Amino acid sequence: MRRRLLAAALAVAAAATLAACGERTEPTAAPRQRPVSLMLDFFPNADHAGIYAAMANGSFAKAGIDLHVQTPSDPASPLKLLEAGRVDLAISYEPELLLARERGAKLVSVGAIVQKPLTSIIAIKGSKVHSAASLAHKTVGTAGIPYQSAYLHTIEDHAGVPPSSVKEVNVGFNLVPAMLSKRVDATLGGFWNYEGVQLRLAHKSPTIIRMENAGVPTYDELIVVARVATAHDHGEMIRRFMQALSEGYRALKANPQAGVQPLLKANKDLDPKLQLASVRATLPVFFPADSSKPFGWMGPAQWDAYGRWLFRNGILKQPPDAAGAMTDEFLPGQGSQSQPAQ
């Protein structure tokens, strides 16, 4: 009996020590189901396959979350709807969050879904664009987003291409049609894991130039965003959400069909072959390059470097508190050692 009591005391002491060091254990008790609304950044596609995997395999239900996924009618609306309290969480992009915070939005990123930029320069066979240097005297289509123009200028400077030699035109979201019709020689704004894969499957032999390889600071393309007040008052809900999301993306990694099949049920207009190929292409960037970090990990230094780049290029009017725009405190296994939501 004394040995059992001693062992129990030691176990309690060890747990207390770990807690003091900032470690935390994940909740194991089955909680009551709570409705949670999530606004996607775009129509359901391969980037979201882990969400649908977690819904299909019961990870959200096990975490006590009755998840309701919504699709925006306008890609610019998710953060606005989140700020207005119309949804609990939203998927967005690192630059969009930093812009929203400069406008006064009290929002914070609570996890990254895609750890690298997906935005890229894409050109198809016959365009004579094979590298950033070959953009000279070419026409590049963008979606008309200001920071995409800044990407292009940085890439030109990095490659030694005179900006005056490149013509930029706004083609909206008609990036692929603009290339196929030869209205432009290349585009900046399409995703290498989606439009790039789509063009490869169509035998268009795309040339793809990724942002982080062409002079633009790396950033987290897709992030989960919450209101700061929600992070403060309902942190346990966010923690359970991120735990379930982690399980969904791990299931996707083990078997891509685990997410593709429920994704196709959610969006019957999707091409199954494209979605599966896109998921497989994206798998490496769904997870941190450092395998010791949990799913969703965001680096404050990386966010700070990208935020300073946005300021230097006139996208932000003031130097941002970029590292304060994100927190890792709700990720699996994280606790007091992570920066709090601000």
Side-chain angles (χ1 to χ4, degrees), residues 34-37 63-65 88-89 226 230-231 233-243 330:
R34 168 180 176 159
V36 174
S37 53
I65 290 175
D88 297 307
L89 300 168
T230 302
D233 300 337
H234 303 286
E236 190 60 25
M237 177 274 286
I238 296 175
R239 184 168 289 111
R240 290 182 182 279
F241 175 89
M242 291 306 302
Q243 175 66 30
F330 304 113

mmCIF file of all heavy atoms in Angstrom, residues 34-37 63-65 88-89 226 230-231 233-243 330:
data_model
loop_
_atom_site.group_PDB
_atom_site.id
_atom_site.type_symbol
_atom_site.label_atom_id
_atom_site.label_comp_id
_atom_site.label_asym_id
_atom_site.label_seq_id
_atom_site.Cartn_x
_atom_site.Cartn_y
_atom_site.Cartn_z
ATOM 1 N N ARG A 34 -20.880 20.672 -28.893
ATOM 2 C CA ARG A 34 -21.071 22.116 -29.021
ATOM 3 C C ARG A 34 -21.067 22.487 -30.499
ATOM 4 O O ARG A 34 -20.130 22.144 -31.229
ATOM 5 C CB ARG A 34 -19.952 22.857 -28.300
ATOM 6 C CG ARG A 34 -19.918 24.339 -28.633
ATOM 7 C CD ARG A 34 -18.815 25.075 -27.936
ATOM 8 N NE ARG A 34 -18.782 26.460 -28.378
ATOM 9 C CZ ARG A 34 -18.213 27.444 -27.700
ATOM 10 N NH1 ARG A 34 -17.643 27.188 -26.538
ATOM 11 N NH2 ARG A 34 -18.208 28.669 -28.177
ATOM 12 N N PRO A 35 -22.087 23.198 -30.988
ATOM 13 C CA PRO A 35 -22.080 23.635 -32.387
ATOM 14 C C PRO A 35 -20.957 24.637 -32.627
ATOM 15 O O PRO A 35 -20.786 25.592 -31.853
ATOM 16 C CB PRO A 35 -23.451 24.287 -32.576
ATOM 17 C CG PRO A 35 -24.280 23.814 -31.430
ATOM 18 C CD PRO A 35 -23.337 23.582 -30.296
ATOM 19 N N VAL A 36 -20.182 24.423 -33.670
ATOM 20 C CA VAL A 36 -19.110 25.341 -34.061
ATOM 21 C C VAL A 36 -19.228 25.571 -35.560
ATOM 22 O O VAL A 36 -19.293 24.612 -36.340
ATOM 23 C CB VAL A 36 -17.718 24.774 -33.723
ATOM 24 C CG1 VAL A 36 -16.623 25.687 -34.270
ATOM 25 C CG2 VAL A 36 -17.556 24.604 -32.217
ATOM 26 N N SER A 37 -19.257 26.832 -35.963
ATOM 27 C CA SER A 37 -19.355 27.162 -37.386
ATOM 28 C C SER A 37 -17.988 27.571 -37.916
ATOM 29 O O SER A 37 -17.263 28.342 -37.289
ATOM 30 C CB SER A 37 -20.368 28.285 -37.609
ATOM 31 O OG SER A 37 -20.084 29.403 -36.784
ATOM 32 N N ALA A 63 -14.314 15.167 -30.135
ATOM 33 C CA ALA A 63 -13.826 16.356 -29.428
ATOM 34 C C ALA A 63 -14.964 17.216 -28.897
ATOM 35 O O ALA A 63 -14.716 18.279 -28.310
ATOM 36 C CB ALA A 63 -12.949 17.183 -30.369
ATOM 37 N N GLY A 64 -16.210 16.766 -29.082
ATOM 38 C CA GLY A 64 -17.345 17.531 -28.577
ATOM 39 C C GLY A 64 -17.735 18.686 -29.468
ATOM 40 O O GLY A 64 -18.361 19.647 -29.023
ATOM 41 N N ILE A 65 -17.362 18.596 -30.755
ATOM 42 C CA ILE A 65 -17.643 19.689 -31.689
ATOM 43 C C ILE A 65 -18.591 19.207 -32.784
ATOM 44 O O ILE A 65 -18.297 18.246 -33.501
ATOM 45 C CB ILE A 65 -16.328 20.212 -32.314
ATOM 46 C CG1 ILE A 65 -15.517 20.942 -31.235
ATOM 47 C CG2 ILE A 65 -16.616 21.135 -33.489
ATOM 48 C CD1 ILE A 65 -14.162 21.390 -31.687
ATOM 49 N N ASP A 88 -17.879 31.177 -35.956
ATOM 50 C CA ASP A 88 -16.956 31.022 -34.827
ATOM 51 C C ASP A 88 -15.494 31.058 -35.255
ATOM 52 O O ASP A 88 -14.642 31.602 -34.550
ATOM 53 C CB ASP A 88 -17.234 29.697 -34.111
ATOM 54 C CG ASP A 88 -18.625 29.647 -33.520
ATOM 55 O OD1 ASP A 88 -18.987 30.569 -32.770
ATOM 56 O OD2 ASP A 88 -19.362 28.687 -33.824
ATOM 57 N N LEU A 89 -15.204 30.446 -36.408
ATOM 58 C CA LEU A 89 -13.840 30.348 -36.916
ATOM 59 C C LEU A 89 -13.870 30.547 -38.427
ATOM 60 O O LEU A 89 -14.905 30.323 -39.070
ATOM 61 C CB LEU A 89 -13.230 28.975 -36.601
ATOM 62 C CG LEU A 89 -13.114 28.581 -35.126
ATOM 63 C CD1 LEU A 89 -12.771 27.099 -35.017
ATOM 64 C CD2 LEU A 89 -12.066 29.428 -34.409
ATOM 65 N N ALA A 226 -9.539 33.097 -35.423
ATOM 66 C CA ALA A 226 -10.604 33.271 -34.424
ATOM 67 C C ALA A 226 -10.637 34.726 -33.978
ATOM 68 O O ALA A 226 -9.673 35.478 -34.192
ATOM 69 C CB ALA A 226 -10.358 32.368 -33.215
ATOM 70 N N THR A 230 -12.861 35.262 -28.547
ATOM 71 C CA THR A 230 -13.137 33.823 -28.523
ATOM 72 C C THR A 230 -11.934 33.062 -27.994
ATOM 73 O O THR A 230 -12.068 32.114 -27.209
ATOM 74 C CB THR A 230 -13.499 33.319 -29.933
ATOM 75 O OG1 THR A 230 -14.632 34.049 -30.420
ATOM 76 C CG2 THR A 230 -13.820 31.832 -29.925
ATOM 77 N N ALA A 231 -10.739 33.471 -28.416
ATOM 78 C CA ALA A 231 -9.523 32.814 -27.938
ATOM 79 C C ALA A 231 -9.373 32.962 -26.430
ATOM 80 O O ALA A 231 -8.933 32.039 -25.736
ATOM 81 C CB ALA A 231 -8.307 33.389 -28.656
ATOM 82 N N ASP A 233 -11.943 33.610 -24.204
ATOM 83 C CA ASP A 233 -13.074 33.094 -23.425
ATOM 84 C C ASP A 233 -13.433 31.644 -23.730
ATOM 85 O O ASP A 233 -14.070 30.977 -22.904
ATOM 86 C CB ASP A 233 -14.310 33.962 -23.675
ATOM 87 C CG ASP A 233 -14.097 35.415 -23.263
ATOM 88 O OD1 ASP A 233 -13.215 35.668 -22.419
ATOM 89 O OD2 ASP A 233 -14.808 36.284 -23.793
ATOM 90 N N HIS A 234 -13.041 31.156 -24.897
ATOM 91 C CA HIS A 234 -13.417 29.800 -25.307
ATOM 92 C C HIS A 234 -12.212 29.038 -25.857
ATOM 93 O O HIS A 234 -12.296 28.341 -26.860
ATOM 94 C CB HIS A 234 -14.539 29.856 -26.347
ATOM 95 C CG HIS A 234 -15.758 30.588 -25.878
ATOM 96 N ND1 HIS A 234 -16.641 30.054 -24.962
ATOM 97 C CD2 HIS A 234 -16.226 31.833 -26.182
ATOM 98 C CE1 HIS A 234 -17.613 30.925 -24.727
ATOM 99 N NE2 HIS A 234 -17.379 32.014 -25.443
ATOM 100 N N GLY A 235 -11.091 29.216 -25.176
ATOM 101 C CA GLY A 235 -9.861 28.570 -25.614
ATOM 102 C C GLY A 235 -9.962 27.061 -25.669
ATOM 103 O O GLY A 235 -9.362 26.420 -26.540
ATOM 104 N N GLU A 236 -10.718 26.466 -24.758
ATOM 105 C CA GLU A 236 -10.834 25.011 -24.743
ATOM 106 C C GLU A 236 -11.529 24.511 -26.008
ATOM 107 O O GLU A 236 -11.173 23.454 -26.540
ATOM 108 C CB GLU A 236 -11.595 24.547 -23.503
ATOM 109 C CG GLU A 236 -11.558 23.043 -23.284
ATOM 110 C CD GLU A 236 -10.152 22.487 -23.104
ATOM 111 O OE1 GLU A 236 -9.252 23.240 -22.675
ATOM 112 O OE2 GLU A 236 -9.954 21.301 -23.413
ATOM 113 N N MET A 237 -12.514 25.255 -26.513
ATOM 114 C CA MET A 237 -13.173 24.883 -27.762
ATOM 115 C C MET A 237 -12.182 24.914 -28.912
ATOM 116 O O MET A 237 -12.129 24.005 -29.744
ATOM 117 C CB MET A 237 -14.342 25.830 -28.047
ATOM 118 C CG MET A 237 -15.059 25.560 -29.373
ATOM 119 S SD MET A 237 -14.311 26.397 -30.828
ATOM 120 C CE MET A 237 -14.831 28.097 -30.539
ATOM 121 N N ILE A 238 -11.365 25.960 -28.965
ATOM 122 C CA ILE A 238 -10.381 26.072 -30.038
ATOM 123 C C ILE A 238 -9.356 24.950 -29.931
ATOM 124 O O ILE A 238 -8.959 24.344 -30.931
ATOM 125 C CB ILE A 238 -9.687 27.445 -29.992
ATOM 126 C CG1 ILE A 238 -10.713 28.558 -30.252
ATOM 127 C CG2 ILE A 238 -8.553 27.513 -31.008
ATOM 128 C CD1 ILE A 238 -10.148 29.955 -30.117
ATOM 129 N N ARG A 239 -8.951 24.642 -28.691
ATOM 130 C CA ARG A 239 -7.974 23.568 -28.482
ATOM 131 C C ARG A 239 -8.538 22.230 -28.973
ATOM 132 O O ARG A 239 -7.843 21.450 -29.637
ATOM 133 C CB ARG A 239 -7.597 23.502 -27.005
ATOM 134 C CG ARG A 239 -6.503 22.488 -26.683
ATOM 135 C CD ARG A 239 -5.974 22.678 -25.281
ATOM 136 N NE ARG A 239 -5.174 23.896 -25.180
ATOM 137 C CZ ARG A 239 -5.517 24.982 -24.515
ATOM 138 N NH1 ARG A 239 -6.669 25.026 -23.879
ATOM 139 N NH2 ARG A 239 -4.722 26.036 -24.472
ATOM 140 N N ARG A 240 -9.791 21.962 -28.667
ATOM 141 C CA ARG A 240 -10.413 20.715 -29.122
ATOM 142 C C ARG A 240 -10.566 20.701 -30.648
ATOM 143 O O ARG A 240 -10.389 19.671 -31.284
ATOM 144 C CB ARG A 240 -11.775 20.516 -28.433
ATOM 145 C CG ARG A 240 -11.663 20.210 -26.952
ATOM 146 C CD ARG A 240 -13.040 19.973 -26.328
ATOM 147 N NE ARG A 240 -12.953 19.732 -24.893
ATOM 148 C CZ ARG A 240 -12.639 18.568 -24.348
ATOM 149 N NH1 ARG A 240 -12.396 17.523 -25.125
ATOM 150 N NH2 ARG A 240 -12.584 18.433 -23.035
ATOM 151 N N PHE A 241 -10.891 21.856 -31.211
ATOM 152 C CA PHE A 241 -11.011 21.957 -32.668
ATOM 153 C C PHE A 241 -9.678 21.637 -33.332
ATOM 154 O O PHE A 241 -9.618 20.863 -34.299
ATOM 155 C CB PHE A 241 -11.477 23.362 -33.066
ATOM 156 C CG PHE A 241 -11.509 23.583 -34.555
ATOM 157 C CD1 PHE A 241 -12.647 23.288 -35.284
ATOM 158 C CD2 PHE A 241 -10.391 24.079 -35.228
ATOM 159 C CE1 PHE A 241 -12.674 23.475 -36.674
ATOM 160 C CE2 PHE A 241 -10.407 24.270 -36.610
ATOM 161 C CZ PHE A 241 -11.555 23.966 -37.323
ATOM 162 N N MET A 242 -8.597 22.241 -32.833
ATOM 163 C CA MET A 242 -7.289 22.029 -33.448
ATOM 164 C C MET A 242 -6.812 20.591 -33.260
ATOM 165 O O MET A 242 -6.138 20.030 -34.135
ATOM 166 C CB MET A 242 -6.264 23.012 -32.884
ATOM 167 C CG MET A 242 -6.486 24.470 -33.302
ATOM 168 S SD MET A 242 -6.603 24.726 -35.097
ATOM 169 C CE MET A 242 -5.024 24.058 -35.658
ATOM 170 N N GLN A 243 -7.153 19.969 -32.140
ATOM 171 C CA GLN A 243 -6.802 18.564 -31.922
ATOM 172 C C GLN A 243 -7.507 17.687 -32.950
ATOM 173 O O GLN A 243 -6.903 16.803 -33.563
ATOM 174 C CB GLN A 243 -7.187 18.134 -30.505
ATOM 175 C CG GLN A 243 -6.972 16.658 -30.206
ATOM 176 C CD GLN A 243 -5.523 16.240 -30.226
ATOM 177 O OE1 GLN A 243 -4.643 17.043 -29.913
ATOM 178 N NE2 GLN A 243 -5.250 14.997 -30.602
ATOM 179 N N PHE A 330 -3.000 26.894 -28.611
ATOM 180 C CA PHE A 330 -4.117 25.950 -28.698
ATOM 181 C C PHE A 330 -3.787 24.701 -29.506
ATOM 182 O O PHE A 330 -4.667 23.883 -29.769
ATOM 183 C CB PHE A 330 -5.333 26.651 -29.309
ATOM 184 C CG PHE A 330 -5.742 27.887 -28.567
ATOM 185 C CD1 PHE A 330 -5.630 29.135 -29.149
ATOM 186 C CD2 PHE A 330 -6.216 27.800 -27.262
ATOM 187 C CE1 PHE A 330 -5.986 30.278 -28.460
ATOM 188 C CE2 PHE A 330 -6.573 28.935 -26.554
ATOM 189 C CZ PHE A 330 -6.458 30.184 -27.161
#
